[in-house]
Amino acid sequence: MPPVLALDGPSGSGKGTIGQICALKFGWHYLDSGAIYRGLAWLANSKSVAADDVAGLVALAESMSLVCHVQTDDVAQIEINGRIVTDDLRTEETGEMASKIAPLGSVRAALLAMQRRCRRTPGLVADGRDMGTVVFPDAEFKVFLTASAEIRAQRRFDQLKSKGFDVNLARLLESIQARDVRDSSRAESPLKPADDAYVLDTSALSIDEVVACIMDHVNQR
Ligand SMILES: Nc1ncnc2c1ncn2[C@@H]1O[C@H](COP(=O)(O)OP(=O)(O)OP(=O)(O)O)[C@@H](O)[C@H]1O
Ligand SMILES: Nc1ccn([C@H]2C[C@H](O)[C@@H](COP(=O)(O)O)O2)c(=O)n1
């Protein structure tokens, strides 16, 4: 099987940014699994499928086609059913909905095969919450990125502000904290480091320093 670098962690810990840089450095494919949950949430919102309509969500998941276009200078562009929806997926409304549907076991099961199909030669960098624990438990490399909620909220604030969104730091912090609780306390595939993961707190590290730590870790193994 092609090698996998599983990159897990809470919202805003840098998985997407760092994952894309690592994928480009290795020349590997990149999977943004959060985009899959956000994509399903966005589709559900746009088709008025409720967060508790499990059969409706599973049907949407099974018919969803998602392509992730890695960029050298920006977040990966996400295409769903033929349409680029990157900015729609990053809204707090979509993130909230994603976090509500993510605990549903049959929804997760419907999205599992789609994620595993991304494991292709020469390798895959996969970012999410359960890459190292559930989706790719046999991954060669497992990294769990973390940072304080305050730092993550500030990073998200700066990111959204630079894209012209009208954002409120206190509300972002509240939303990140609520999502942390939901993601880590759910019964199905909770957010947690795999037993064999390298846990890296990025609160005081620059993006380049985080990438260097991961490269050192990979090269040592
Ligand atoms: N070590 C770092 N230092 C400074 N800024 C960072 C660092 N890591 C990430 N960032 C910035 O924080 C923001 C959030 O990062 P990113 O979107 O990669 O997080 P994420 O973990 O993928 O979040 P989510 O799970 O919600 O998709 C981005 O603007 C990114 O550039
Ligand atoms: N492997 C994954 C990826 C994401 N989720 C859920 C949890 C998040 O609240 C939501 C959006 O993810 P993000 O884009 O913020 O990384 O999707 C999950 O349960 N499992």
Side-chain angles (χ1 to χ4, degrees), residues 5-8 13-32 68 70-71 74-76 124-128 143 145 207 210-211 214-215:
L5 165 61
L7 205 50
D8 290 306
S13 55
K15 306 178 297 294
T17 308
I18 306 297
Q20 281 198 91
I21 296 173
C22 291
L24 286 167
K25 276 189 185 284
F26 295 150
W28 287 5
H29 302 281
Y30 167 66
L31 164 65
D32 174 0
C68 184
V70 175
Q71 308 288 300
D74 200 357
V75 293
L124 175 70
V125 177
D127 112 42
V143 176
L145 293 181
I207 291 173
V210 176
V211 172
I214 294 177
M215 289 296 160

Side-chain angles (χ1 to χ4, degrees), residues 7-12 15-16 31-39 41 89-90 94-103 108 111 115 127-131 135 156 179-180 182-183 186 188-191:
L7 205 50
D8 290 306
S11 183
K15 306 178 297 294
L31 164 65
D32 174 0
S33 65
I36 294 181
Y37 287 90
R38 284 175 183 266
L89 299 197
R90 294 311 321 175
T94 308
E96 280 287 311
M97 178 71 164
S99 178
K100 284 180 188 153
I101 64 176
R108 300 196 75 83
L111 296 174
Q115 296 171 77
D127 112 42
R129 304 292 189 288
D130 58 346
M131 298 297 102
V135 182
R156 182 68 78 215
R179 202 167 322 155
D180 283 355
R182 263 206 301 270
D183 290 348
R186 68 185 181 216
E188 295 283 343
S189 310
L191 166 68

Side-chain angles (χ1 to χ4, degrees), residues 96 153 169-179:
E96 280 287 311
L169 183 59
R171 271 208 298 277
L172 275 179
L173 176 59
E174 233 173 70
S175 163
I176 276 189
Q177 287 169 328
R179 202 167 322 155

Side-chain angles (χ1 to χ4, degrees), residues 43-215:
L43 264 185
N45 278 338
S46 63
K47 293 187 184 294
S48 302
V49 174
D52 59 355
D53 176 0
V54 179
L57 290 167
V58 168
L60 272 187
E62 285 170 348
S63 66
M64 181 169 76
S65 134
L66 187 144
V67 184
C68 184
H69 302 277
V70 175
Q71 308 288 300
T72 47
D73 57 351
D74 200 357
V75 293
Q77 295 296 300
I78 308 296
E79 182 184 325
I80 291 182
N81 296 349
R83 181 174 155 195
I84 296 287
V85 291
T86 320
D87 288 343
D88 300 298
L89 299 197
R90 294 311 321 175
T91 64
E92 280 309 297
E93 185 197 7
T94 308
E96 280 287 311
M97 178 71 164
S99 178
K100 284 180 188 153
I101 64 176
L104 302 171
S106 38
V107 168
R108 300 196 75 83
L111 296 174
L112 194 56
M114 182 191 285
Q115 296 171 77
R116 288 192 173 144
R117 275 200 300 275
C118 297
R119 186 175 199 169
R120 295 195 307 270
T121 309
L124 175 70
V125 177
D127 112 42
R129 304 292 189 288
D130 58 346
M131 298 297 102
T133 51
V134 175
V135 182
F136 303 110
D138 60 338
E140 280 68 15
F141 312 107
K142 297 183 187 180
V143 176
F144 189 90
L145 293 181
T146 183
S148 73
E150 288 73 15
I151 296 268
R152 289 183 282 127
Q154 185 66 53
R155 288 176 183 170
R156 182 68 78 215
F157 178 84
D158 296 342
Q159 181 186 36
L160 292 171
K161 198 93 184 155
S162 74
K163 286 184 181 286
F165 286 102
D166 181 21
V167 275
N168 174 294
L169 183 59
R171 271 208 298 277
L172 275 179
L173 176 59
E174 233 173 70
S175 163
I176 276 189
Q177 287 169 328
R179 202 167 322 155
D180 283 355
V181 170
R182 263 206 301 270
D183 290 348
S184 24
S185 62
R186 68 185 181 216
E188 295 283 343
S189 310
L191 166 68
K192 63 170 185 185
D195 291 340
D196 50 349
Y198 165 45
V199 179
L200 183 56
D201 186 331
T202 73
S203 301
L205 298 178
S206 68
I207 291 173
D208 287 348
E209 287 170 331
V210 176
V211 172
C213 288
I214 294 177
M215 289 296 160

